[in-house]
Amino acid sequence: MFQKPPKSDKITCFIGVFMKTIGVLSRSCGVHSGEFHADEVTACALLLHFNLIDLDKIIRTRELGRLESCDFVCDVGGEYDPKRRRFDHHQLEYKGELSSAGMIWEYLRDQKIISDIYYNYLNRTLIRGVDDIDNGRLQPIFGLCTFSSVISAFVPAEHGVMGDSGLDDAFFEALEFARGHLARIEKKFLYMQKCKESVRGIMEQMKECLVFEKAMPWLEAFFELGGKDHPAEFIIMPSGNHWKLRGVPPSFEKQMDVRRPLPIEWAGLLQEDLRKETGIDGAIFCHKGRFISVWKTKEDAIRALKMVLSKK
């Protein structure tokens, strides 16, 4: 899904000779020196993750001469030209809404290094937020910690009086964190895609309640597969050593809402209290929001489901 498209030997040879002729350092990336932000950190992390640059060839500078010798240039240089691998968004000529992170992500899609479905997924889960915050379209919300604010925390508080070497060290610490984050997101995405066919099969077999024999990420696949029009009101699924009975949301965007809440009499009850209320020995917990409950066994969860459905 993320394999770099092969180039013919002639094209590869031509690029190599061209880069050598103009003095471009192959697999290098130029970014600006000084204080850093989430967009160029993410841009570099993406290029590293997809094996387009080398870590020891990331050059932090604002000197145009040094930038000209770089294979990729991100967030500096005053030019946006994917054909020349230049990805700056600060110049007046650029009228788009991307930051250097979004520019690199779009480049990877256009080069067919990533699929459209993964492009959309990472845009929704990471890249769009980085772009919008960096370009001022999304203002910080009190009490909400974003990926961009986590990256900004790597910038030392005393950065205004420290030398470039200290900021360089901090940049590469942030970069390592971002690389790890991208790897974890990709691993999750690939597993979700692997589970998608299982979700599809269960959706085709069951109506009021979807029963999964093993835990899996089901919610996103459910709505990708037309779940908004599916009649399921609940799912039953293993949860650690127990089983959960969870309400199905009306849409992916309203994940904390449910089509049908659990009984109000169960709200917030734990173990013995929930056992007395339901008569089910395996009762463990019902959330006060009435969207999820936990039971010792699958059979307990099914009994709880039947009680809920009988209240129609």
Side-chain angles (χ1 to χ4, degrees), residues 174-185:
L175 179 58
E176 188 62 26
F177 171 81
R179 290 178 70 185
H181 190 60
L182 287 173
R184 288 185 289 273
I185 291 177

Side-chain angles (χ1 to χ4, degrees), residues 117-129:
I117 189 170
Y118 190 50
Y119 173 82
N120 292 330
Y121 177 79
L122 198 66
N123 251 347
R124 183 175 69 250
T125 56
L126 179 68
I127 304 298
R128 184 64 57 82

